[in-house]
């Protein structure tokens, strides 16, 4: 994780990132052209405003992959909620035609996937705990 430096707050030092992926409602392949560009730009804008570092971002026609670093005080569920909610509102404001393709008023599927990536592997942590410290 060369892109991700150790971060500090007043009381916490961390090196933590999450891999998110989620898709539009009904997994419709609508993230193309101007809409895909808009979603990518909004993700970058929101992450920058919240001081979350993006390590990788890939907008596919039917899903989004995002790898970002955020402080441990922010739950991954809150990150997903903020990103998906803000982008959905902006997309539906700027791309009225999308409403016709996704009935029911929702842009994103309710589900998402998230995986945590840290500075140490699970094996390293288990070994550290098992060996103990005097």
């Amino acid at each position: 994780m060369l892109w991700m430096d150790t971060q500090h707050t007043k009381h916490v030092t961390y090196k933590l990132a999450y891999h998110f992926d989620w898709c539009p409602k009904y997994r419709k392949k609508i993230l193309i052209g101007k809409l895909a560009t808009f979603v990518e730009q909004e993700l970058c804008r929101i992450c920058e405003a919240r001081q979350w570092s993006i390590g990788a971002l890939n907008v596919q026609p039917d899903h989004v992959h995002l790898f970002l670093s955020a402080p441990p005080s922010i739950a991954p569920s809150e990150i997903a909620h903020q990103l998906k909610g803000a982008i959905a509102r902006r997309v539906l404001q700027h791309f009225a035609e999308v409403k016709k393709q996704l009935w029911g008023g929702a842009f994103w599927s309710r589900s998402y996937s998230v995986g945590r990536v840290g500075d140490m592997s699970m094996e390293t942590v288990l070994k550290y705990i098992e060996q103990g410290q005097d």
Side-chain angles (χ1 to χ4, degrees), residues 84-124:
K84 289 173 67 179
I87 291 169
R89 282 187 297 278
R90 301 269 295 155
V91 164
L92 295 174
Q93 287 172 351
H94 289 83
F95 296 87
E97 67 276 9
V98 170
K99 291 180 184 179
K100 297 173 187 169
Q101 296 180 29
L102 302 171
W103 56 94
F107 180 71
W108 299 115
S109 168
R110 290 177 60 194
S111 62
Y112 65 92
S113 172
V114 62
R116 183 192 52 76
V117 179
D119 193 30
M120 295 182 275
S121 69
M122 184 172 60
E123 292 80 18
T124 301

Side-chain angles (χ1 to χ4, degrees), residues 9 14 23-24 31 43-44 50 53-54 57 69 90 97-98 101 105 111-114 117 130 133:
T9 65
Y14 65 94
C23 59
L31 299 175
L43 279 166
C44 291
R50 288 168 174 75
S53 301
I54 295 177
L57 172 59
S69 175
R90 301 269 295 155
E97 67 276 9
V98 170
Q101 296 180 29
S111 62
Y112 65 92
S113 172
V114 62
V117 179
E130 287 172 0
Q133 297 294 314

